[in-house]
Amino acid sequence: MRAQVLTLLEKYEERILGQNTNLRLLLSAVLSGGHVLLEGVPGTGKTQMVRTLADLLGGSFRRIQFTPDLLPSDITGSMIYNMKEGTFETLKGPVFTNILLADEINRTPAKTQAALLEAMEEQQVTIQGNTFPLPDIFFVVATQNPIEFEGTYPLPEAQQDRFLFKLKIDFPSFAEEKSVLKQVLEKSFDTSLVTPVLDMEAFLTIRKEIQRVTIGDGVLDYIMQIVRKTRETESIRFGASTRAAISIGKACQAWAYLAGRDYVTPDDIKIVAKPSLRHRIQLAPHVEMEGAAVDQIIEELVGSVPVPR
């Protein structure tokens, strides 16, 4: 099964240029059952990144464009009256899918954003008092624009904590960006050419294999020391929760699996710590005033924790 995943990753990197680390992190999050928040300026390929992954995985895919007038029922679904039958019917919303792209999630009010909370955490949806389970494979990839704040609604901390990773999408290099331009102009970039590498049954089998990747006791201590350090340092106002430690543990299992190993190393922790923590901690006011970045503080914090042998 690992060979199939590596084939998927290879095809993924061929389609999306200049984002190899983010692609591997996104795939790691999906394989470990987590949700991902993508942050980047418009035009950096965030939507294409998610759509291509959905095509390669072979699962059902739905996209919701979040707007200020979007209602919770537009996401989860509603009850409608069938005049012909004289009964009420449940009309399920786009959340009933394998891969859900929540595009520009910060453009909709908190009430609508919260409609995703139950789905992301409990993998179920309640419509008019009736609870409906979501598919066994369900994950949300949400995007947001970091440079435009007019008419936006910042995600509450409670909802940000539901995301396994927050990935920052940067511009590719000159050569990679030129290749993208050339592909589009020559019309060689055709989404219809993407064929599935996996099916949902194989995906579930791979997820079980990842859960068997070994995390030694020393590595578990390393994860806990990093998370607890976020609560003790003066640079951070609010530290990470236990959910953050769980997220790091699950993510590093998937990262190790993609690297061809059945055990986790401290280097795996260092790689996944930043995307796992950057949306879960708040810097102290004096640190923000000094212009320090969250990623910089996380790097310093992880570097200060002794690495287990």
Side-chain angles (χ1 to χ4, degrees):
M1 285 296 180
R2 184 183 274 118
Q4 286 182 279
V5 177
L6 294 179
T7 300
L8 185 152
L9 183 60
E10 183 181 347
K11 291 183 178 294
Y12 199 16
E13 291 174 346
E14 288 175 359
R15 302 292 299 180
I16 308 295
L17 303 177
Q19 301 289 346
N20 287 7
T21 301
N22 280 327
L23 296 183
R24 189 175 284 260
L25 285 169
L26 178 57
L27 183 57
S28 297
V30 167
L31 291 173
S32 58
H35 310 289
V36 179
L37 181 62
L38 299 180
E39 185 176 273
V41 298
T44 48
K46 300 185 296 296
T47 301
Q48 190 62 48
M49 188 183 296
V50 182
R51 187 181 296 275
T52 302
L53 179 59
D55 290 339
L56 289 169
L57 289 175
S60 58
F61 171 77
R62 300 293 293 275
R63 174 180 176 269
I64 305 174
Q65 180 64 53
F66 279 71
T67 56
D69 60 348
L70 195 73
L71 299 175
S73 58
D74 294 329
I75 298 173
T76 58
S78 58
M79 297 284 286
I80 60 172
Y81 184 71
N82 188 327
M83 296 183 65
K84 184 178 180 180
E85 301 292 336
T87 58
F88 284 95
E89 295 180 356
T90 301
L91 184 65
K92 293 183 178 180
V95 74
F96 289 88
T97 186
N98 296 126
I99 303 103
L100 178 67
L101 172 59
D103 221 349
E104 295 188 289
I105 192 172
N106 58 331
R107 289 203 172 277
T108 199
K111 183 178 181 180
T112 305
Q113 292 173 359
L116 281 175
L117 283 178
E118 182 184 16
M120 293 170 67
E121 187 68 19
E122 306 294 337
Q123 206 159 332
Q124 64 182 26
V125 167
T126 301
I127 304 173
Q128 295 290 325
N130 297 314
T131 301
F132 300 90
L134 292 172
D136 290 337
I137 298 172
F138 170 76
F139 57 89
V140 175
V141 181
T143 70
Q144 65 179 13
N145 178 358
I147 62 172
E148 190 177 359
F149 298 105
E150 185 177 350
T152 61
Y153 305 83
L155 282 175
E157 286 77 8
Q159 184 156 352
Q160 288 197 55
D161 199 34
R162 261 66 174 188
F163 289 98
L164 183 82
F165 282 161
K166 179 181 179 180
L167 302 180
K168 292 188 175 181
I169 309 301
D170 296 320
F171 291 107
S173 67
F174 182 91
E176 290 162 338
E177 198 165 8
K178 180 181 175 182
S179 296
V180 173
L181 175 63
K182 187 176 180 181
Q183 286 181 5
V184 173
L185 293 178
E186 293 178 351
K187 297 184 179 179
S188 60
F189 190 84
D190 187 357
T191 54
S192 63
L193 298 176
V194 180
T195 55
V197 177
L198 296 177
D199 55 33
M200 293 296 99
E201 186 177 345
F203 187 93
L204 287 172
T205 302
I206 292 166
R207 185 174 284 181
K208 291 176 182 177
E209 290 181 359
I210 289 172
Q211 291 171 353
R212 291 196 289 268
V213 172
T214 303
I215 305 183
D217 200 55
V219 177
L220 287 175
D221 287 343
Y222 188 48
I223 295 173
M224 287 310 308
Q225 287 171 15
I226 290 172
V227 171
R228 293 181 72 87
K229 189 89 170 179
T230 65
R231 307 169 197 162
E232 299 165 359
T233 177
E234 294 181 355
S235 301
I236 298 174
R237 184 182 181 189
F238 296 115
S241 66
T242 306
R243 186 186 278 125
I246 295 171
S247 296
I248 293 173
K250 287 183 175 181
C252 65
Q253 283 181 306
W255 184 270
Y257 182 85
L258 289 178
R261 287 182 276 105
D262 59 359
Y263 60 91
V264 172
T265 69
D267 286 338
D268 299 327
I269 309 300
K270 291 179 181 179
I271 292 170
V272 304
K274 198 183 296 182
S276 298
L277 294 175
R278 60 166 59 116
H279 57 299
R280 289 186 163 103
I281 62 176
Q282 288 187 18
L283 299 184
H286 71 276
V287 176
E288 288 185 329
M289 289 180 66
E290 292 171 0
V294 172
D295 286 2
Q296 175 190 342
I297 298 299
I298 294 173
E299 284 180 12
E300 293 173 358
L301 185 147
V302 173
S304 67
V305 177
V307 179
R309 292 186 176 181

